[in-house]
């Protein structure tokens, strides 16, 4: 991500140069600097949570009905999978059949 030196707005790449969408200021691209930038593609790799042997890993459990086997207990963990201004998603792992599902916002 690059910001405009003139007005501070976020810039985008147009015709091989950084261009400000607000004031039109342009600046040459710096491939060494861009290599260290975090891209949206780089953010897609989220942390993988190992839920095998959930009880031994200290995951809390709660009373909730498993959609697979109708058991009434599951381990759960919270993970931020959307933008920071949205709530975390709660994931469940059935204590009996180890079926995994998530709680959707309604």
């Amino acid at each position: 991500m690059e910001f405009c030196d003139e007005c501070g707005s976020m810039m985008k790449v147009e015709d091989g140069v950084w261009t400000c969408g607000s004031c039109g200021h342009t600046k040459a691209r710096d491939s060494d600097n861009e290599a260290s930038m975090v891209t949206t593609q780089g953010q897609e790799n989220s942390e993988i949570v190992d839920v095998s042997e959930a009880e031994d890993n200290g995951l809390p459990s709660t009373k909730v009905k498993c959609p697979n086997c109708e058991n009434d207990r599951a381990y759960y963990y919270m993970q931020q999978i959307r933008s920071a201004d949205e709530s975390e998603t709660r994931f469940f792992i059935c204590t009996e059949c180890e079926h995994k599902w998530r709680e959707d916002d309604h």
Side-chain angles (χ1 to χ4, degrees):
M1 187 178 304
E2 190 70 33
F3 293 95
C4 180
D5 295 331
E6 300 294 319
C7 70
S9 295
M10 191 167 50
M11 300 179 84
K12 57 186 173 186
V13 176
E14 287 182 358
D15 298 325
V17 295
W18 287 105
T19 304
C20 177
S22 296
C23 71
H25 177 72
T26 60
K27 133 177 169 178
R29 293 179 69 180
D30 179 357
S31 59
D32 291 335
N33 185 34
E34 289 177 25
S36 66
M37 292 181 184
V38 176
T39 64
T40 54
Q41 289 84 13
Q43 294 173 349
E44 290 173 359
N45 298 331
S46 62
E47 178 183 350
I48 297 173
V49 177
D50 181 9
V51 294
S52 60
E53 302 173 13
E55 186 173 24
D56 294 335
N57 289 332
L59 290 178
S61 65
T62 188
K63 185 175 182 172
V64 64
K65 192 177 208 178
C66 174
N68 190 49
C69 73
E70 306 291 316
N71 180 39
D72 67 347
R73 298 242 17 116
Y75 301 110
Y76 70 94
Y77 62 95
M78 306 288 280
Q79 188 172 5
Q80 188 73 37
I81 60 171
R82 294 173 287 191
S83 61
D85 64 339
E86 296 190 35
S87 62
E88 292 179 312
T89 301
R90 185 162 44 167
F91 291 88
F92 296 99
I93 305 107
C94 178
T95 58
E96 291 295 318
C97 71
E98 296 187 2
H99 175 70
K100 300 171 186 123
W101 75 98
R102 71 182 192 187
E103 179 180 65
D104 294 319
D105 293 335
H106 296 284

